[in-house]
Amino acid sequence: MMTSVGSILTPITGPVANAFRGVGQGFVRRIRLLQGAAPPEAHAPPLRLLAAELGQLFSPALRLFKRRLPIDKADDPRVVILLPGFAANPMSMKRMARQLERAGHKVKRWGLGANFGPTPENFEQLSARVCSVKERYGQDVVLIGWSLGGIFAREVAKMQPGCVSKVITLGTPFSHTPYSNNLWRIYQAVVGHHVEEPPVKVNMAEKPPVETVAFWSPRDGAISRRSACGRPGERDRAVALRCSHMGFCYSDESILALAAELKR
């Protein structure tokens, strides 16, 4: 039987066709999210610093040849939850966890796996976990958030201030503009929304109602110092380090600075 020209031109329909069509539309949307330009007031680190971050991929192997980190025992051990950065999982902060445990602190994971951006659901899950950890150990929790993890830490501390004693952010982009970094295009393409249109209602620059300390570095190749340091009123104190963005979660300098901060 001869097939008519009209039937050939008829669009393919059905659940499979709709699924493929949805995938194609999603792909096109994410390609578009890779495009665009930052506003004039945005401030990003020099690209040479971003390139230097690639060298940090070899740091885990190099650490095998480093001496044992001299870390003192804490007089007043704290309960700590570590929150990983964008696209990272808790294993990225494993060295930090081990060293803080050597100092006597109780270190817990955040319980959400890899960090692929905020949603109302994972905010609620993290909020419940923070309260659960406090109830279990009978002590307010210190939240230590690396990069995007610091956004979670600040927002959950606003949601549950009675369960959090302190927030410490490590290279977290909470101030200035959401374009003041070298990763905003990649972030948009991965999570599927514009940095100015997160799926949760947040005021990132608003300080949580608990002690809030911002670690930042002029050598950070991913996040602008203006964004990670913040302005007075957006945090209680700012601490300058000399590590890379990747180094916040495992460098000796960062870990020793955290150990000192936990003693305060």
Side-chain angles (χ1 to χ4, degrees), residues 152-204:
F152 280 79
R154 287 172 62 95
E155 295 306 315
V156 168
K158 297 172 189 176
M159 297 168 65
Q160 299 292 347
C163 297
V164 179
S165 63
K166 178 185 289 192
V167 170
I168 305 173
T169 58
L170 312 174
T172 292
F174 66 88
S175 186
H176 212 243
T177 84
Y179 297 94
S180 290
N181 59 79
N182 280 322
L183 302 177
W184 63 270
R185 290 185 179 87
I186 296 174
Y187 175 84
Q188 290 187 163
V190 171
V191 302
H193 63 76
H194 289 280
V195 291
E196 292 183 311
E197 301 172 355
V200 291
K201 293 182 179 180
V202 296
N203 180 358
M204 293 192 295

Side-chain angles (χ1 to χ4, degrees), residues 45-118:
L47 291 180
R48 60 180 173 78
L49 292 179
L50 180 62
E53 296 283 349
L54 298 177
Q56 304 302 315
L57 297 176
F58 301 100
S59 292
L62 295 176
R63 285 201 301 270
L64 296 175
F65 303 97
K66 296 182 68 173
R67 64 184 178 87
R68 185 178 175 87
L69 183 64
I71 192 165
D72 298 329
K73 282 288 185 180
D75 297 326
D76 181 20
R78 313 298 294 274
V79 178
V80 175
I81 295 180
L82 301 182
L83 293 75
F86 174 55
N89 61 41
M91 291 300 294
S92 64
M93 305 180 83
K94 186 176 181 179
R95 182 172 191 251
M96 177 184 291
R98 285 180 173 176
Q99 299 305 317
L100 294 181
E101 286 174 342
R102 280 183 57 213
H105 303 292
K106 180 66 68 174
V107 182
K108 309 298 291 183
R109 295 187 177 188
W110 75 328
L112 297 179
N115 187 347
F116 286 106

